[in-house]
Amino acid sequence: MKPINMNYFSVILCTVLFSVSTSFSQEKIEKYIVGKGETVAQIAQKFKVTPYEIYKLNPDAQNGLKPNAILLIPRSGVSTTKSVAAPVKPVTNAVPSKPLVQQAKTHTVLAKETLFGIEKKYDLSDEALKKANPDLEKNGLQIGMVLNIPSKSAVKANVPVTSSVVSNAPIFHTVQSKETKYSIAKKYDITVEELERKNPEIVPNLPVGYELLIKGNRPKAVAKEALAKVVIPAEKHVAVSTPEPINYIDYTVKPKETFYSLSKMFGLTQQQLIDLNPNLSVGVQEGMILKVPSKSNQIAVNSAKQKVVLTKKSSQDKKTLVLLFPFNFAKNSTDTVTSTVNKLNNDKFLNMTLDFYSGALMAIDSAKQVGVSMNVKIFDSNETKSASNVASIYSDNNLADADAVVGPFYQNNVEKTANLFIQNNVPVISPLSKDTGNPIANLYQSIVPTSVMKTAMFDFMNAKQGNLVAVIDKKRETIRKYILENQKAVKIAPLTPTGGLDVENFKKLLVKDRMNYVILESANTGMVKYTINTMLWAMANGYQVQLVILEPNETLDTDEVSFENLTKLHLLYPSATRENNSPEAQLFMQSYRKKNKVNPSSYAIRGFDITFDTMMRLSQDKTYQETAETMITEQVENKFEYHKNPDGGYSNKGVYILYYDTDLTIKEAK
């Protein structure tokens, strides 16, 4: 399938480069253990072959050589470019190792071959083949790639076939341009935490050219001069500064402190606090001794995310953004003009898609106006709740090297898409799904979960040191249970035997020395009105009171509940979107109306916000993942504050706390 309304070039360069025949037998290949500091040119000269021949057998060598890595070298006399009679000498500068249990066979990947076909041919499991060829996870299967094929005995014995490195020999990795901590950790099958623990200097940032310790111990002399070894390409002239070391202190938790207040105080996310202090996983408790950064480190890059306005950064790389929207042309192509008109009038899903698409087009135009040039490919994902044609789009259009993907819409389909793009760690942004879903490392859930909004509301009230009182009717037992288990500071108002609000005992729960936040959890009109009237009585008698809801309550929108009373009580609630009357937002509204002859719907605004935010993140001098981990952004209505989930993937925690003001407007609570 070709991109919708977009011209694009097929990517064939790699195919051409690797289409040269490389037929050879196992006996015509030598294995060589790379010595520290050796280059491909030096090794090629040693074996009387060309660097090209080494790169052809070892494509990953183009990314640099690591000490003790194994290179495949064509034996003298069988070079594809020259014949040399001198025998290959044994390696003299390599670290001695135990003999391998089994020499590995090799297989050169041909056009149209698949992992499944290769695994079937050699009777191997997917796990065994990828373990013998770690670069498969990173780069995928490529034409001309030489795979190591482990024997069955080696697989059963769990013996590596590609390495003869002594276990205590240190392994290093030189940071390349565009690499991230995540991609490097994944390449070596370790966690980011392990990588940072072995290289504490990279906690604030990851300098290009820095020599990372992956396994073993760094020699002391080397450790002292580690940053001095950073190699910067001459043409880039990038300045690298030595990261400031992180200093930690002990801090004792004070009464009424919460995750919210501690996060603000120390510039750490809740997850970062838990990572430093595992005992916090059971909640914040008075008297706990916490490990936190000293004040001099509180504004380090790895601390609190900074709310930023993204502007274009100078970059020579033209990024590729893929948009996957469910237009479902195949299903609608046979419709008559009349049926199409009827569908546009009645099909809510199609209208939602078209609105989202119209907002995305506005974002692409807006990005161009600020100088962001990007290759945008738009496809029809042809979706139902359980199926889509994304797999064929992916394989037919060479999308593996895309820089980011927005869509599809359904959770099941967006998860399958994330799995397709996970090999290259391409971020896949779920634009509309409210489902929690499965943890996938490169999946970004842009819709704020209800549970996050609820927690943000309680964190806000606790940070204000308010007196929390909840009015909960008998039909809201789920929220009653949640509060009893997770928000122990909340006082639950008593009910009468018939299930109504016990007004007199409710009054006794209010205090005069601080704000009384009354959390209303009822759709019963009578209970709602009793609660509001009692709060108005309290206000008249010198109490500070504010009405709070945790999620939309339709009863408050009926004529039986006075809107004026809601403004008097400054109705407070969490929201994933905001009212925005800024000049930038007004300009967007005017431009949209001019182009589409209607006001933008919420889906059109979201289409703009998601697409523009993604394009601006891609235009930075960081990867999308790095911007997600360090930056909070706001667009017309939506805030994007991504947090890494403990089990994988990212969730958006960009919540606004809003309230009704007496001037009949909605404002953000500070």
Side-chain angles (χ1 to χ4, degrees):
M1 174 180 286
K2 293 182 178 180
I4 299 169
N5 297 330
M6 303 289 285
N7 293 321
Y8 69 101
F9 295 98
S10 299
V11 181
I12 59 172
L13 182 60
C14 291
T15 304
V16 173
L17 290 175
F18 288 108
S19 62
V20 181
S21 173
T22 56
S23 57
F24 48 80
S25 65
Q26 183 182 348
E27 293 76 23
K28 297 178 182 179
I29 299 295
E30 286 288 336
K31 290 190 176 182
Y32 178 75
I33 303 174
V34 178
K36 188 169 183 179
E38 283 193 302
T39 66
V40 169
Q42 291 170 339
I43 297 170
Q45 187 176 11
K46 179 183 293 187
F47 287 95
K48 309 298 183 186
V49 296
T50 65
Y52 172 77
E53 290 174 295
I54 294 179
Y55 286 133
K56 190 164 65 173
L57 294 179
N58 307 270
D60 291 326
Q62 297 176 63
N63 298 325
L65 297 181
K66 299 185 292 292
N68 300 312
I70 304 294
L71 281 184
L72 299 177
I73 308 292
R75 267 182 77 178
S76 55
V78 292
S79 166
T80 58
T81 58
K82 61 171 66 177
S83 177
V84 181
V88 176
K89 295 180 180 180
V91 178
T92 58
N93 61 342
V95 179
S97 62
K98 295 179 181 179
L100 295 175
V101 172
Q102 176 71 40
Q103 290 292 326
K105 296 179 182 178
T106 58
H107 174 89
T108 304
V109 179
L110 304 176
K112 298 185 180 181
E113 281 194 307
T114 64
L115 277 178
F116 177 79
I118 295 169
E119 289 160 1
K120 187 174 180 181
K121 178 177 180 179
Y122 294 101
D123 193 20
L124 288 171
S125 68
D126 185 65
E127 180 184 6
L129 185 62
K130 288 180 178 177
K131 189 170 183 180
N133 301 273
D135 289 323
L136 274 176
E137 292 283 358
K138 177 185 175 185
N139 302 320
L141 195 67
Q142 299 178 16
I143 297 172
M145 177 183 282
V146 179
L147 298 178
N148 293 296
I149 306 299
S151 67
K152 290 185 180 180
S153 59
V155 172
K156 289 179 181 178
N158 200 25
V159 176
V161 297
T162 59
S163 176
S164 59
V165 182
V166 175
S167 60
N168 61 356
I171 295 176
F172 297 91
H173 173 88
T174 302
V175 179
Q176 305 297 316
S177 176
K178 297 185 180 181
E179 282 190 315
T180 65
K181 295 177 190 177
Y182 175 85
S183 64
I184 296 169
K186 185 175 178 65
K187 180 174 183 178
Y188 293 100
D189 195 24
I190 60 176
T191 64
V192 173
E193 289 73 20
E194 288 178 275
L195 189 66
E196 290 182 335
R197 189 164 58 248
K198 283 188 171 291
N199 303 272
E201 299 86 358
I202 68 164
V203 170
N205 56 55
L206 186 67
V208 174
Y210 180 65
E211 191 177 73
L212 292 172
L213 177 65
I214 304 299
K215 292 182 180 178
N217 297 310
R218 191 191 298 270
K220 291 183 180 180
V222 175
K224 290 180 181 179
E225 302 173 1
L227 282 173
K229 294 187 176 182
V230 174
V231 179
I232 303 299
E235 66 274 14
K236 292 190 177 179
H237 301 292
V238 181
V240 177
S241 58
T242 303
E244 180 186 354
I246 304 293
N247 299 314
Y248 293 97
I249 59 172
D250 289 337
Y251 177 82
T252 304
V253 176
K254 297 179 177 59
K256 299 179 182 177
E257 285 190 311
T258 64
F259 271 123
Y260 181 86
S261 61
L262 291 171
S263 295
K264 292 293 183 186
M265 183 185 303
F266 296 108
L268 298 173
T269 65
Q270 178 173 328
Q271 188 56 49
Q272 286 172 327
L273 281 168
I274 293 174
D275 289 343
L276 285 171
N277 305 276
N279 56 327
L280 278 176
S281 58
V282 299
V284 178
Q285 297 176 12
E286 180 183 345
M288 277 183 169
I289 308 296
L290 303 181
K291 175 185 176 184
V292 295
S294 65
K295 290 187 178 180
S296 63
N297 293 119
Q298 285 178 21
I299 26 181
V301 178
N302 68 311
S303 297
K305 290 182 172 68
Q306 302 297 313
K307 186 184 289 185
V308 297
V309 177
L310 295 176
T311 55
K312 179 182 178 291
K313 297 290 191 297
S314 58
S315 173
Q316 300 302 315
D317 298 330
K318 189 169 185 179
K319 302 292 179 65
T320 297
L321 171 64
V322 176
L323 305 179
L324 299 170
F325 298 159
F327 301 104
N328 294 341
F329 287 150
K331 184 175 69 174
N332 300 325
S333 60
T334 58
D335 290 348
T336 64
V337 173
T338 302
S339 63
T340 299
V341 171
N342 289 334
K343 186 179 288 291
L344 288 172
N345 288 331
N346 301 303
D347 190 329
K348 292 182 179 179
F349 185 78
L350 179 58
N351 275 275
M352 175 191 72
T353 301
L354 294 175
D355 283 357
F356 193 96
Y357 176 55
S358 67
L361 292 180
M362 289 287 296
I364 295 168
D365 288 342
S366 297
K368 286 180 182 177
Q369 290 174 22
V370 297
V372 175
S373 177
M374 199 162 290
N375 186 15
V376 181
K377 298 183 178 183
I378 305 173
F379 298 92
D380 176 14
S381 53
N382 199 29
E383 290 183 68
T384 64
K385 285 186 178 181
S386 58
S388 74
N389 65 347
V390 172
S392 60
I393 291 173
Y394 175 84
S395 60
D396 294 345
N397 294 276
N398 301 309
L399 299 182
D401 292 327
D403 294 286
V405 179
V406 174
F409 284 5
Y410 285 117
Q411 182 67 28
N412 181 63
N413 298 329
V414 82
E415 288 180 8
K416 290 179 180 177
T417 302
N419 280 319
L420 284 173
F421 284 91
I422 198 170
Q423 285 188 345
N424 289 348
N425 195 30
V426 177
V428 175
I429 299 97
S430 175
L432 290 173
S433 174
K434 296 180 181 179
D435 297 339
T436 303
N438 295 309
I440 303 173
N442 61 325
L443 180 58
Y444 295 76
Q445 299 283 165
S446 69
I447 291 285
V448 180
T450 303
S451 59
V452 169
M453 288 197 282
K454 197 182 299 178
T455 301
M457 188 72 257
F458 280 107
D459 285 347
F460 176 86
M461 294 185 290
N462 286 324
K464 296 288 186 179
Q465 299 186 339
N467 177 47
L468 278 57
V469 180
V471 176
I472 309 171
D473 70 24
K474 290 185 176 180
K475 293 182 179 180
R476 302 289 180 95
E477 285 305 311
T478 302
I479 188 64
R480 181 187 296 271
K481 182 179 179 183
Y482 167 82
I483 288 175
L484 288 172
E485 292 178 354
N486 301 284
Q487 305 294 339
K488 299 186 185 301
V490 178
K491 304 170 185 174
I492 297 181
L495 304 179
T496 64
T498 58
L501 177 64
D502 186 337
V503 174
E504 292 306 315
N505 283 314
F506 168 58
K507 291 179 181 178
K508 294 177 182 178
L509 299 178
L510 305 177
V511 297
K512 278 200 171 181
D513 58 341
R514 45 194 175 130
M515 176 62 74
N516 294 275
Y517 293 108
V518 179
I519 304 157
L520 179 60
E521 282 293 326
S522 175
N524 181 284
T525 303
M527 181 173 281
V528 169
K529 293 174 73 173
Y530 273 124
T531 303
I532 289 175
N533 289 337
T534 306
M535 291 180 70
L536 292 171
W537 167 88
M539 183 181 289
N541 284 275
Y543 290 89
Q544 300 177 66
V545 290
Q546 189 163 10
L547 182 62
V548 178
I549 56 174
L550 302 177
E551 54 190 25
N553 188 333
E554 293 181 359
T555 305
L556 299 181
D557 293 329
T558 63
D559 293 337
E560 295 191 58
V561 177
S562 165
F563 181 75
E564 183 182 0
N565 286 340
L566 297 180
T567 62
K568 285 180 181 178
L569 296 173
H570 293 300
L571 177 65
L572 188 71
Y573 62 98
S575 174
T577 59
R578 62 172 172 169
E579 296 280 332
N580 186 1
N581 295 312
S582 68
E584 294 82 8
Q586 292 302 315
L587 179 62
F588 164 75
M589 297 292 182
Q590 292 167 11
S591 300
Y592 188 93
R593 281 194 296 268
K594 183 177 180 180
K595 185 172 184 177
N596 298 283
K597 313 304 180 189
V598 293
N599 287 324
S601 69
S602 59
Y603 291 111
I605 295 173
R606 185 154 187 84
F608 175 88
D609 284 359
I610 289 278
T611 307
F612 189 76
D613 187 75
T614 303
M615 294 180 75
M616 294 307 294
R617 286 178 184 272
L618 290 178
S619 73
Q620 304 306 298
D621 52 4
K622 301 174 182 288
T623 65
Y624 185 95
Q625 179 184 343
E626 287 170 332
T627 69
E629 292 176 349
T630 59
M631 298 176 179
I632 301 170
T633 59
E634 291 182 306
Q635 302 305 337
V636 176
E637 280 190 355
N638 297 271
K639 181 191 294 185
F640 300 99
E641 183 180 346
Y642 289 109
H643 287 251
K644 191 172 184 179
N645 301 322
D647 48 357
Y650 294 79
S651 295
N652 184 15
K653 297 189 178 181
V655 180
Y656 293 103
I657 306 298
L658 306 177
Y659 71 96
Y660 287 10
D661 203 354
T662 49
D663 62 1
L664 307 184
T665 62
I666 297 175
K667 291 187 171 67
E668 184 177 355
K670 301 296 184 182

